[in-house]
Amino acid sequence: MKTKTFPTICIILLVTIFSSSCNKSNDDENNFPSPSILAKNNWLLGEYVYSRSNSVQVDGSYTNGKPFTIINMESNITSDNGAFLASNLQISFNTSTVGDYIIKSESTTVTEDQLKYLDIQCEIINEAGNSALYKSQDTNKLAKVSLVNGKLVVNIPEQIILVLSSNNGLSHPPESFLFMCNKVR
């Protein structure tokens, strides 16, 4: 009696190869750079990368006396980003100290001023000066704030979603963007 082991082995081998290829993680699906690839003082908005041209840091206090900090950054103008030539990034956070902050919406950050919360507003601008403003929502993701040469520096190593808040004449702006930044100040 002749056994049919060769076809059985082929079938097992093909199933194993197919199963292995289907279960394989595909890291190439995420085309967004990580903060280690994103240069310092750069931020990512969707597929667009902006680099800081200048910035201002302001320390203030709420009406109840609790401190806050605002970092306002303008990007360089770049044609690499298609219609979105420039960006303005504003990061506001409770206190004026270093450490881990949880990314929240603007209203939560202001309301819960005793907690280490941080909010983000990012504007995109086209050649005609039309713009759209995107804001952070309540998340549990962390932003790291450190001090470098007397300036507070913000690093957001995980992508978060910024949602369209207002439109100032930009034609069909996206409803949201993925955002991250590498040591902006």
Side-chain angles (χ1 to χ4, degrees), residues 29-60:
E29 287 179 13
N30 185 358
N31 294 326
F32 298 103
S34 71
S36 60
I37 296 170
L38 198 61
K40 287 181 185 176
N41 276 313
N42 282 351
W43 61 93
L44 182 76
L45 192 60
E47 62 190 64
Y48 310 112
V49 177
Y50 296 96
S51 62
R52 177 185 63 94
S53 66
N54 60 61
S55 67
V56 174
Q57 294 192 10
V58 176
D59 293 332

Side-chain angles (χ1 to χ4, degrees), residues 101-173:
Y101 286 77
I102 299 173
I103 301 167
K104 296 291 183 180
S105 65
E106 180 182 23
S107 61
T108 300
T109 301
V110 171
T111 304
E112 302 294 333
D113 60 8
Q114 74 282 3
L115 300 173
K116 290 182 90 172
Y117 286 166
L118 170 148
D119 71 84
I120 300 158
Q121 297 185 31
C122 193
E123 183 178 34
I124 53 172
I125 305 155
N126 70 9
E127 187 176 73
N130 299 326
S131 63
L133 180 65
Y134 294 83
K135 293 185 177 185
S136 58
Q137 304 300 300
D138 288 341
T139 74
N140 290 321
K141 296 200 177 183
L142 292 178
K144 292 210 171 278
V145 177
S146 57
L147 192 64
V148 176
N149 297 328
K151 296 285 187 184
L152 291 165
V153 176
V154 178
N155 192 44
I156 300 174
E158 290 184 64
Q159 295 175 18
I160 63 164
I161 295 173
L162 299 183
V163 176
L164 180 64
S165 173
S166 63
N167 183 4
N168 185 23
L170 203 60
S171 179
H172 307 293

Side-chain angles (χ1 to χ4, degrees), residues 11-80:
I11 291 171
I12 292 171
L13 183 60
L14 286 173
V15 168
T16 304
I17 291 171
F18 180 75
S19 174
S20 170
S21 67
C22 289
N23 292 329
K24 191 175 184 181
S25 167
N26 188 357
D27 294 332
D28 294 334
E29 287 179 13
N30 185 358
N31 294 326
F32 298 103
S34 71
S36 60
I37 296 170
L38 198 61
K40 287 181 185 176
N41 276 313
N42 282 351
W43 61 93
L44 182 76
L45 192 60
E47 62 190 64
Y48 310 112
V49 177
Y50 296 96
S51 62
R52 177 185 63 94
S53 66
N54 60 61
S55 67
V56 174
Q57 294 192 10
V58 176
D59 293 332
S61 59
Y62 294 108
T63 55
N64 63 4
K66 296 279 186 181
F68 68 85
T69 301
I70 297 174
I71 304 174
N72 191 359
M73 292 159 269
E74 296 288 335
S75 77
N76 289 313
I77 295 174
T78 177
S79 59
D80 291 343

